[in-house]
Amino acid sequence: MSAENRPNVKIIDAENLEVNFDFEITHYKMDENGNYSHSMLANWGGKELTNTQSWEIVKERIRDAKERVQKNEVSPIAYFMEKCITDVSTLSKYVGIAKWRIKRHLKPAVFNKINTKILQKYADFFQVDIEQLKNIESSKK
Amino acid sequence: MQLSAHCESGATVNLLGYYKVKISEPMVFGIGAGYYFGHLPFLKMNFSPVTTYRSLPGLVFSRTCKNLGVSYERKTFKSPQKSMDELDRVLDSGNPCGVQVGAFHLPFFPQEYRMHYNMHNMVVFGKENNEYLIADSVVPGDCKISYDDFVRVRFPKGAFAPNGKMYHITNIPENINFKAPAITGIKKTCYEMLDIPFPLIGVKGIRYFARKVRKWPVKKGNKVASQYLGQSILSLEEIGTGGAGYRFIYGAFLNEAADLLQREELKEIAKEMGEAGNRWRNFSYLGARNCKNRAEPEHTYDFLADIIMDCADMEEKIFKKLKKVNFK
């Protein structure tokens, strides 16, 4: 992935995502006589509640990770990992780095010693610059 | 192109429609025996156990084609380059091609569904200046996707990674009759719901799921229980099921099959199916209230589990009846 084509690919910004619930999908239903029909429907009665909750859980995890990064308990990789809604095993498959190495990289002391080549691998998947990867505050622009 | 509820059935409808085969979405779903239940606590998606209401991705397409006598070709790849070359070759020969993709990087997908969900299906039908033209049966209108994005969505990682899976129809018989395939599909579904000797699948699976729901708040605490419940409701209602975990689609199929095969019994069963669907909808509607405040559930999990047990009883009755219908 080169630097030019990065801007036109956008990973969703899970941290600040405001979901609108207008998207309609086809729903089937049955009337009293047992006849079936289908129509486009945006909400079946609980869409907002369940969707909001599942995003709320993601956002909570991001907030937790961010706090821990600020306290220097974990490296920024933990924050970006949560931001991309991944866990260690999925991340490992995406960036091609073994799970135990990622877990090591989550320690701040180890993170500071990682070379640029490996940082670039992370940065490519998170779609940020290496500068932003090192300093999570700058990623907010 | 036709909009549909279930992405894979929709992709199959669109692929067959290209070859002038008129078939509805419920029909594909029924012939492909997509109806299913499985609760797999050892598989985690979005940090919650997986509850599935349909068969494995890819099965609906392959079973439909097999039952209809349509020949197809399906491939997975290790190298992204090779997969794109193969796709170009198929498109150049004038055939549309179905692909299984991950939703996380899919640019035209609505934001709320862009989690790591790797079982989305869509049809590619052309290429224009390095952009692929896509008929997605869930998103209205034609979509475009650039080469780089497309590589990325075809090779996502994680649970059920598609590895660039693509499928296209190679040969189609002259006269297609839906009668025999529909019967095959019904029998397959009956077997899968009643007779698979594995406790996590079929009607037994529903009961197992209910027992699990009962234990969630005790074992994991209210917050996690609510998270698990939310995820199972999402896969029940949201992820392209057409409502109540495909129960309504299947009812529509039985209704259609009743006309096709001239069996009045099927109409009755279709109605019962709809009632089972209503009961599931009941569960998801009440369950969703629990997600409002994660710490304090509005309805007890015992109560919700009872509803699921109800559904299990209803479905067991339906499929036992369906199994006994004489199609001769």
Side-chain angles (χ1 to χ4, degrees), chain B residues 189-223:
Chain B
T189 306
C190 286
Y191 167 73
E192 281 188 343
M193 288 307 285
L194 295 173
D195 298 336
I196 288 188
F198 189 62
L200 312 185
I201 284 168
V203 173
K204 275 177 273 179
I206 304 179
R207 299 220 167 93
Y208 171 74
F209 177 49
R211 287 198 295 275
K212 276 267 168 188
V213 170
R214 239 182 262 278
K215 280 184 212 153
W216 278 343
V218 186
K219 273 193 170 169
K220 310 269 178 185
N222 275 340
K223 271 195 156 181

Side-chain angles (χ1 to χ4, degrees), chain B residues 160-209:
Chain B
F160 297 107
N163 292 327
K165 186 187 272 181
M166 53 179 267
Y167 43 91
H168 63 99
I169 291 170
T170 49
N171 187 27
I172 212 153
E174 287 271 302
N175 292 313
I176 292 189
N177 190 344
F178 298 148
K179 275 186 188 170
I183 296 172
T184 322
I186 290 177
K187 293 213 162 127
K188 185 85 193 162
T189 306
C190 286
Y191 167 73
E192 281 188 343
M193 288 307 285
L194 295 173
D195 298 336
I196 288 188
F198 189 62
L200 312 185
I201 284 168
V203 173
K204 275 177 273 179
I206 304 179
R207 299 220 167 93
Y208 171 74
F209 177 49

Side-chain angles (χ1 to χ4, degrees), chain A residues 89-132:
Chain A
S89 70
T90 316
L91 181 64
S92 141
K93 284 179 191 149
Y94 266 112
V95 294
I97 297 173
K99 275 198 269 187
W100 66 269
R101 277 182 85 192
I102 294 183
K103 279 181 195 157
R104 245 183 112 245
H105 293 166
L106 289 178
K107 294 176 189 159
V110 182
F111 177 78
N112 291 333
K113 280 187 267 176
I114 307 177
N115 64 31
T116 342
K117 212 171 144 192
I118 288 176
L119 278 182
Q120 190 59 49
K121 277 188 184 176
Y122 284 113
D124 277 346
F125 174 63
F126 298 140
Q127 301 189 359
V128 289
D129 294 337
I130 291 186
E131 270 319 298
Q132 290 170 334

Side-chain angles (χ1 to χ4, degrees), chain B residues 106-209:
Chain B
L106 205 56
F108 52 76
F109 223 45
Q111 285 194 316
E112 68 259 41
Y113 299 130
R114 283 180 59 184
M115 300 226 174
H116 288 275
Y117 174 75
N118 292 337
M119 291 167 271
H120 187 60
N121 286 272
M122 55 194 196
V123 177
V124 193
F125 64 92
K127 192 181 180 187
E128 242 174 37
N129 328 320
N130 223 15
E131 278 192 327
Y132 288 87
L133 304 175
I134 293 192
D136 192 307
S137 57
V138 181
V139 183
D142 289 348
C143 308
K144 280 180 185 169
I145 189 167
S146 69
Y147 186 91
D148 292 328
D149 282 356
F150 203 30
V151 172
R152 206 167 294 126
V153 295
R154 286 186 70 191
F155 286 87
K157 303 288 176 0
F160 297 107
N163 292 327
K165 186 187 272 181
M166 53 179 267
Y167 43 91
H168 63 99
I169 291 170
T170 49
N171 187 27
I172 212 153
E174 287 271 302
N175 292 313
I176 292 189
N177 190 344
F178 298 148
K179 275 186 188 170
I183 296 172
T184 322
I186 290 177
K187 293 213 162 127
K188 185 85 193 162
T189 306
C190 286
Y191 167 73
E192 281 188 343
M193 288 307 285
L194 295 173
D195 298 336
I196 288 188
F198 189 62
L200 312 185
I201 284 168
V203 173
K204 275 177 273 179
I206 304 179
R207 299 220 167 93
Y208 171 74
F209 177 49

Side-chain angles (χ1 to χ4, degrees), chain A residues 5 9-10 12 17 19 25-26 28 32 34 36 44-45 47 49 51 53 55 57 60 84-86 94, chain B residues 4-5 25 111-114 116 148-149 152 157 226-227 237-238 242 248 251 255 270-271 274 289 294:
Chain A
N5 60 29
V9 191
K10 269 268 177 275
I12 38 153
L17 181 76
V19 183
I25 43 177
T26 315
Y28 284 75
E32 298 91 35
Y36 284 85
W44 47 267
K47 177 180 181 177
L49 292 172
N51 261 313
Q53 178 190 253
W55 282 110
I57 288 164
E60 217 166 69
C84 290
I85 332 176
T86 43
Y94 266 112
Chain B
S4 57
E25 190 201 354
Q111 285 194 316
E112 68 259 41
Y113 299 130
R114 283 180 59 184
H116 288 275
D148 292 328
D149 282 356
R152 206 167 294 126
K157 303 288 176 0
S226 167
Q227 175 190 336
E237 296 286 351
E238 283 289 293
F248 288 133
N255 219 358
K271 206 171 168 189
R289 306 287 121 184
R294 268 187 288 157

Side-chain angles (χ1 to χ4, degrees), chain A residues 7-21:
Chain A
N8 57 32
V9 191
K10 269 268 177 275
I11 285 190
I12 38 153
D13 184 6
E15 193 180 7
N16 308 309
L17 181 76
E18 300 244 341
V19 183
N20 72 9
F21 296 98

